[in-house]
């Protein structure tokens, strides 16, 4: 048995439905200019009752478009946002590949009522190129709406002579091929599409093919320059750095010409065996002490005796060193120091491989003298001032562009983070250099490990495509990372040996002959 609803129930149902939040109408007016710029005016009439639409609405726009050449990054410029004819507050946020425009005053709640929002924005790179025609493919309202849409309408205006050749439209959720929509050609360059009663997350998509060759798009370089003009200073600075590196390497980094190596029958500069070994190996080790002791024995100043009747340890042999004389005029400074300090207050000492504070102190002082007296032959000219100068250029360029971007976007969050990371990076770099010079390998590895972890955010901001960063900010961090890396290469090549060192190396090679 059928039961008819009473008039009161019918009226209550109608009132309840009329009070549900929804998009009453979505009207999109799309103008394509001769330079292929697309200007979109969207009039969105909604009914709000404070459930989901409390302070306003949001509009989500895709920032990536699929083309036959691959994925293309899309930018938008919001021109105006109004509510019922009056300017309305809004802010933009990039999340992944979506630009979301949040509309409304955060401090004001909307009354239950009808509201009409008008959003005007401009975009580029929305025209597809095909054989014999160009095409405008457009998702009119997107699939991010959580409300039904009673009526949606899109009117496309093409420039003169861009005659419409074909058109189609689709409705439904993403990927749908349903065609519950209509189209009406208003003129050879204008067409209107319409659809009714879309459910939440359903979209109207239009595709219009028109005569090819009418649009005069800017050159790819012009479009790139318009989007990326802020990073042009970084590009110019990169080329300047390359010039700076090459020019200073040419002036200060080239090694002096090496003399012809000829056989030598005398010790170069009459240096001690330890000094010759230190210059040749470019480092100090205990064998240099042994070399000098053997030479002192050859000169008859000490006697080295291996103890055979004592029990030898597994890792060492036992020797007795006895002082026979002390002739300073026959010795180099490092030999005299070794002889004097080892036998200070006694004529013989025992060397058995165990720790001896006196021997340790003597070897340390011997190393310091050896390094100091042969510095000109062993070390290279670092030209470190040029590295610091290049670092200043890099940091000034990095922060200048980042600061300019912050002024334009009026957001200083990333600039502040960059300053903190740079300060920490400089601190850790200073500590690492000090530890490296102190030759403490374990401490160097530990500090380097922790500094790498703390510097990880720098790499994330450069390469993670975070929605929190603009493309300019991301490129700034890439510039900083690659420029700092180039400094290490420059630091390596700008080091050069002195003429004295090159000449000494040739003499040592001749002496080896």
């Amino acid at each position: 048995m059928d039961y008819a609803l009473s008039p009161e129930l019918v009226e209550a149902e109608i009132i309840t439905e009329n009070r549900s939040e929804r998009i009453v109408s979505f009207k999109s007016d799309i103008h394509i200019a001769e330079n292929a710029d697309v200007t979109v005016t969207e009039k969105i009439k909604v009914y709000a009752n404070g459930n989901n639409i409390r302070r306003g609405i949001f509009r989500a726009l895709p920032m990536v478009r699929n083309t036959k050449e691959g994925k293309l990054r899309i930018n938008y410029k919001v021109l105006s946002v109004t509510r019922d004819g009056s300017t309305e507050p809004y802010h933009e946020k990039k999340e992944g590949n979506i630009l979301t425009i949040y509309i409304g005053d955060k401090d004001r709640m909307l009354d239950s009522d009808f509201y009409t929002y008008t959003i005007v924005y401009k975009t580029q790179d929305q025209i597809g190129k095909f054989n014999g025609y160009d095409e405008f493919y457009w998702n009119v309202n997107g699939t991010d709406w959580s409300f039904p849409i009673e009526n949606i309408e899109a009117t496309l205006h093409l420039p003169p002579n861009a005659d419409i050749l074909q058109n189609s439209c689709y409705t439904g959720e993403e990927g749908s091929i349903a065609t519950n929509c209509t189209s009406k050609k208003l003129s050879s360059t204008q067409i209107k599409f319409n659809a009714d009663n879309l459910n939440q997350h359903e979209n109207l998509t239009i595709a219009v093919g028109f005569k090819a060759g009418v649009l005069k798009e800017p050159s790819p370089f012009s479009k790139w320059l318009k989007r990326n003009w802020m990073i042009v200073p970084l590009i110019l600075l990169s080329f300047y750095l390359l010039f700076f590196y090459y020019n200073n390497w040419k002036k200060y980094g080239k090694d002096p010409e090496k003399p012809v190596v000829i056989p030598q029958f005398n010790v170069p500069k009459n240096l001690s065996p330890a000094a010759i070994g230190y210059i040749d190996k470019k480092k100090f080790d205990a064998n240099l002490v042994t070399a000098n002791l053997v030479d002192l024995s050859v000169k008859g100043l000490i006697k080295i005796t291996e103890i055979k009747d004592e029990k030898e340890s597994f890792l060492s042999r036992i020797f007795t060193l006895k002082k026979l004389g002390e002739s300073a005029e026959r010795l180099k400074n490092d030999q005299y120091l070794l002889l004097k300090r080892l036998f200070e207050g006694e004529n013989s000492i025992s060397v058995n491989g165990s720790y001896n504070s006196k021997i340790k102190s003597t070897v340390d002082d011997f190393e310091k003298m050896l390094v100091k007296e042969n510095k000109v032959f062993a070390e290279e000219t670092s030209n470190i001032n040029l590295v610091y100068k290049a670092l200043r250029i890099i940091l000034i360029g990095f922060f200048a562009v980042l600061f300019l971007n912050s002024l334009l976007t009026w957001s200083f969050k990333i600039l502040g983070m960059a300053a903190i990371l740079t300060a920490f990076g400089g601190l850790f770099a200073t500590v690492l250099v000090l530890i490296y010079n102190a030759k403490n390998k374990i401490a160097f590895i530990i500090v380097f490990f922790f500094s790498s972890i703390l510097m990880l955010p720098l790499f994330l901001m450069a390469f993670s495509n975070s929605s929190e960063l603009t493309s300019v900010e991301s490129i700034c961090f890439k510039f900083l990372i690659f420029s700092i890396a180039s400094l290490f290469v420059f630091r390596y090549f700008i080091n050069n040996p002195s003429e004295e060192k090159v000449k000494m190396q040739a003499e040592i090679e001749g002496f080896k002959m």
Side-chain angles (χ1 to χ4, degrees), residues 415-435:
L415 180 63
M417 293 177 62
I420 294 173
L421 286 173
T422 305
F424 271 108
L427 176 64
F428 278 113
T430 302
V431 173
L432 283 172
V433 170
L434 293 175
I435 295 175

Side-chain angles (χ1 to χ4, degrees), residues 201-215:
H201 302 298
E202 290 190 341
N203 171 64
L204 170 64
T205 301
I206 63 173
V208 178
F210 55 93
K211 188 190 298 183
V214 175
L215 301 182

Side-chain angles (χ1 to χ4, degrees), residues 196-408:
D196 293 320
N197 301 319
L198 296 183
N199 295 320
Q200 59 181 1
H201 302 298
E202 290 190 341
N203 171 64
L204 170 64
T205 301
I206 63 173
V208 178
F210 55 93
K211 188 190 298 183
V214 175
L215 301 182
K216 308 300 180 185
E217 293 190 71
S219 66
F221 176 74
S222 298
K223 290 195 288 187
W224 180 90
L225 189 61
K226 186 176 181 180
R227 290 182 174 187
N228 303 283
W229 65 270
M230 282 190 61
I231 67 171
V232 171
L234 293 182
I235 296 174
L236 297 177
L237 188 58
S238 299
F239 282 108
Y240 174 73
L241 278 174
L242 292 176
F243 169 77
F244 179 88
Y245 292 157
Y246 174 77
N247 190 49
N248 284 286
W249 170 79
K250 193 174 180 181
K251 286 182 180 179
Y252 308 108
K254 281 189 173 182
D255 293 354
E257 187 175 350
K258 189 175 182 179
V260 177
V261 177
I262 58 176
Q264 300 283 329
F265 297 94
N266 297 312
V267 179
K269 305 293 183 184
N270 197 29
L271 295 173
S272 70
I276 294 293
Y278 171 69
I279 296 170
D280 185 43
K281 295 179 179 180
K282 304 179 182 63
K283 66 177 182 178
F284 179 86
D285 60 44
N287 288 332
L288 300 181
V289 179
T290 304
N292 261 14
L293 289 174
V294 171
D295 189 57
L296 289 173
S297 179
V298 171
K299 286 181 168 63
L301 298 176
I302 65 172
K303 181 180 180 181
I304 304 174
T305 305
E306 183 177 0
I307 307 301
K308 295 291 187 179
D309 55 348
E310 295 278 348
K311 185 179 180 181
E312 299 179 0
S313 67
F314 176 71
L315 296 175
S316 65
R317 297 156 67 184
I318 302 173
F319 296 90
T320 297
L321 306 181
K322 184 176 182 181
K323 183 179 177 182
L324 301 178
E326 185 175 318
S327 180
E329 64 274 5
R330 295 170 54 193
L331 302 177
K332 305 302 290 184
N333 289 338
D334 58 289
Q335 291 180 308
Y336 181 73
L337 172 72
L338 190 62
L339 183 64
K340 182 180 178 180
R341 291 292 306 277
L342 278 177
F343 297 97
E344 193 171 23
E346 52 189 324
N347 287 324
S348 66
I349 60 171
S350 176
V351 180
N352 56 15
S354 60
Y355 177 78
N356 185 306
S357 60
K358 180 180 179 180
I359 295 177
K360 175 67 168 58
S361 175
T362 300
V363 172
D364 289 343
D365 291 341
F366 174 73
E367 179 183 359
K368 291 176 183 176
M369 175 174 281
L370 204 62
V371 171
K372 180 180 179 181
E373 291 199 337
N374 299 284
K375 186 175 183 179
V376 68
F377 302 124
E379 295 186 356
E380 296 182 337
T381 304
S382 66
N383 293 310
I384 193 66
N385 59 310
L386 296 174
V387 178
Y388 291 146
K389 185 176 181 180
L391 178 61
R392 287 195 296 271
I393 293 171
I394 292 169
L395 292 178
I396 289 172
F398 169 74
F399 279 108
V401 175
L402 208 55
F403 178 71
L404 178 59
N405 181 73
S406 297
L407 288 177
L408 293 177

Side-chain angles (χ1 to χ4, degrees), residues 28-85:
S28 180
D29 201 49
I30 307 164
H31 288 261
I32 299 179
E34 288 188 5
N35 66 352
D37 282 356
V38 180
T39 303
V40 183
T41 302
E42 296 176 346
K43 289 187 177 181
I44 308 169
K45 184 177 181 180
V46 304
Y47 178 75
N49 62 17
N51 185 18
N52 289 311
I53 305 177
R54 299 178 181 180
R55 296 174 178 83
I57 64 172
F58 70 88
R59 177 71 169 99
L61 298 168
M63 297 184 65
V64 173
R65 187 169 75 89
N66 294 319
T67 69
K68 59 182 180 180
E69 290 82 17
K71 292 184 180 296
L72 181 65
R73 192 78 174 174
I74 301 297
N75 289 328
Y76 299 89
K77 181 180 181 181
V78 179
L79 303 179
S80 67
V81 176
T82 63
R83 176 170 63 85
D84 296 331

Side-chain angles (χ1 to χ4, degrees), residues 94 414 460-462 465-474 477:
K94 295 178 181 177
I414 301 302
L460 293 177
M461 286 191 285
N465 293 322
S466 171
S467 59
E468 299 294 327
L469 270 73
T470 66
S471 60
V472 172
E473 290 167 339
S474 179
F477 284 105

